[in-house]
Amino acid sequence: MTVDKIETLNFKTAKRAFVTRNVNIEDAKGYRSDLKPRNGDLCVARVKQLGHHQRIEQTDGRRARMFPGDMIIIAYSNRYATDQFEGKVPEAVEPCSLVAAGGIAATLLSRHSSTKKPTAIEPLGILCREDGSAMNVMDYALPKAAIDRTVRPHMALVVGSGMNAGKTTTVAAIIRVAKRAGLKVGAIKITGTGAGGDLWFYKDSGAKVTIDFTDAGHAATVGLNLSQLQNIADTLYAQAAKSCDIIIAEIADGLFQTETDLLMRSPKFQNMVDSVLFASGDPMGALAGVRHLRALGLIPSAVSGALTASDLAAKEAAAATGLPALTLSEFEKNEKVLSLIMKPAKPAETAAPVGITTGLGLAKDFSDEQFAAII
């Protein structure tokens, strides 16, 4: 075992990425290049050539400019972004790519055709403690807590058709609605790639608690199994439930993304969900999403997202799904919107499912059994 001492680097000037914000960096006594990287291992790297990401998001949220030769402290992880990069944890400490501004080091597998090549980095080694053991973001995760409240806080889940569907904007709008109603709001992001933008948006919108999967010990969630994903959901929910009346949860990417699909099909996770909103960029996506959720046994209370930027698209989505299409104006002005948002995703068997009785909407042209057969 060869441990290079931190003193050999200008370590204090290194730019620390967002995904390392919970790490006690004082634990780092050296770095090793002889270890095989694991998901979440911290590494110190040198910027070789700038590409798509010209800045790195630091622990305080500031996006600092990078220059060739800069030292950065980041984490190895997988990456999944349909409009940017796909990457995996490298097999060794070797040149690779910075595939997310929040601080993800990975071997590039693919990229969107409109995206520049990623910033090239040269990892020097995995950060280690005095005894030579690797430091990992999981070592600094929130402890799993029990929910010791009599009344379990309502959890409203926001899912979508894909990246940039308007999920986070929808979460932020719900936070503002709930806060106006006098509720203490928790906002949690269960899956995704570590970055601060969504958490800052939650916080700026008035959420009392804003935490995500990085607080549960994961720089990113792609490649995790169902048990790991459920543990993240449990940990974040329990943490927010300590002091909040309602919890708004977001799952990244779209319904067909592997980890999203694992969670949404899980009976245990479904039992955590009290209500569901679906965000989409277009009416066809809204229709497909509502159908898919119904096939899984979850009835959305409404659709929203980027499609509502167009009044015409919102009308199309409402007509197709038979559900309200909530625009930002609706969130701000409709006094009944909170009760609508909280409409149960699994109504009692004796109650008519949401939207079925109106006789409108293509999403109701099939029975639940037919929906399941389609999926």
Side-chain angles (χ1 to χ4, degrees), residues 45-64:
R46 182 180 292 113
V47 176
K48 294 296 290 182
Q49 184 174 357
L50 293 177
H52 179 78
H53 291 107
Q54 307 271 316
R55 299 171 184 260
I56 188 167
E57 184 177 10
Q58 299 188 117
T59 55
D60 61 358
R62 189 174 80 83
R63 288 182 172 255

Side-chain angles (χ1 to χ4, degrees), residues 282-284 286-288 290-291 302-303 307 310-326 355 358-365:
D282 63 87
M284 182 63 78
L287 174 58
V290 170
R291 286 180 169 177
V303 295
L307 67 87
S310 163
D311 288 342
L312 290 176
K315 290 176 182 177
E316 285 184 9
T321 63
L323 299 174
L326 298 178
T358 65
L360 298 174
L362 299 175
K364 300 181 296 298
D365 289 346

Side-chain angles (χ1 to χ4, degrees), residues 12 62 104 116 224 238 275 336 346:
K12 291 185 178 180
R62 189 174 80 83
I104 301 296
K116 294 180 181 178
L224 300 186
S275 60
K336 298 181 179 180
K346 289 187 174 183

Side-chain angles (χ1 to χ4, degrees), residues 152-157 237 247 269-276 299 341-346:
R152 175 184 172 278
H154 180 102
M155 187 170 97
L157 177 67
Y237 179 88
I247 297 169
F269 181 72
Q270 286 193 14
N271 285 337
M272 293 182 66
V273 176
D274 296 301
S275 60
V276 180
I299 300 173
I341 291 166
M342 296 176 68
K343 208 161 190 175
K346 289 187 174 183

Side-chain angles (χ1 to χ4, degrees), residues 68-369:
D70 278 357
M71 303 299 296
I72 55 177
I73 300 172
I74 51 183
Y76 286 111
S77 191
N78 301 315
R79 170 71 160 140
Y80 181 101
T82 54
D83 64 357
Q84 282 194 23
F85 303 115
E86 177 191 15
K88 69 171 185 176
V89 176
E91 294 297 319
V93 176
E94 59 191 11
C96 59
S97 301
L98 181 70
V99 294
I104 301 296
T107 297
L108 181 68
L109 297 177
S110 68
R111 63 186 171 99
H112 192 280
S113 61
S114 66
T115 303
K116 294 180 181 178
K117 290 182 178 180
T119 290
I121 59 175
E122 181 186 11
L124 302 181
I126 295 172
L127 291 183
C128 59
R129 302 177 182 83
E130 192 73 54
D131 62 1
S133 61
M135 293 173 62
N136 191 287
V137 292
M138 180 57 74
D139 302 330
Y140 304 89
L142 287 169
K144 194 170 181 179
I147 300 173
D148 56 0
R149 296 180 57 178
T150 303
V151 179
R152 175 184 172 278
H154 180 102
M155 187 170 97
L157 177 67
V158 177
V159 291
S161 55
M163 291 187 71
N164 303 315
K167 297 184 294 295
T168 304
T169 300
T170 299
V171 170
I174 299 172
I175 292 170
R176 294 193 296 275
V177 169
K179 187 181 179 184
R180 285 202 307 271
L183 299 177
K184 296 175 183 177
V185 188
I188 64 177
K189 187 170 183 181
I190 299 172
T191 65
T193 300
D198 292 351
L199 293 183
W200 313 140
F201 200 175
Y202 300 163
K203 187 177 182 66
D204 291 344
S205 298
K208 180 180 181 181
V209 175
T210 57
I211 47 179
D212 71 359
F213 49 89
T214 62
D215 296 294
H218 298 276
T221 56
V222 61
L224 300 186
N225 59 39
L226 179 57
S227 176
Q228 292 171 309
L229 296 168
Q230 185 66 55
N231 183 67
I232 293 171
D234 291 342
T235 299
L236 299 182
Y237 179 88
Q239 189 70 24
K242 291 179 180 179
S243 58
C244 296
D245 305 312
I246 185 171
I247 297 169
I248 318 302
E250 178 180 352
I251 294 182
D253 303 303
L255 289 175
F256 294 155
Q257 198 267 352
T258 301
E259 288 69 42
T260 300
D261 187 51
L262 282 173
L263 275 175
M264 297 305 294
R265 291 181 183 276
S266 165
K268 183 176 181 180
F269 181 72
Q270 286 193 14
N271 285 337
M272 293 182 66
V273 176
D274 296 301
S275 60
V276 180
L277 276 82
F278 187 75
S280 177
D282 63 87
M284 182 63 78
L287 174 58
V290 170
R291 286 180 169 177
H292 188 81
L293 288 170
R294 285 181 56 108
L296 296 177
L298 298 171
I299 300 173
S301 57
V303 295
S304 191
L307 67 87
T308 62
S310 163
D311 288 342
L312 290 176
K315 290 176 182 177
E316 285 184 9
T321 63
L323 299 174
L326 298 178
T327 64
L328 291 179
S329 177
E330 281 285 303
F331 281 112
E332 297 298 330
K333 298 178 181 179
N334 188 342
E335 295 180 357
K336 298 181 179 180
V337 73
L338 183 59
S339 60
L340 172 61
I341 291 166
M342 296 176 68
K343 208 161 190 175
K346 289 187 174 183
E349 291 184 6
T350 55
V354 176
I356 291 294
T357 58
T358 65
L360 298 174
L362 299 175
K364 300 181 296 298
D365 289 346
F366 300 94
S367 67
D368 288 343
E369 292 75 16

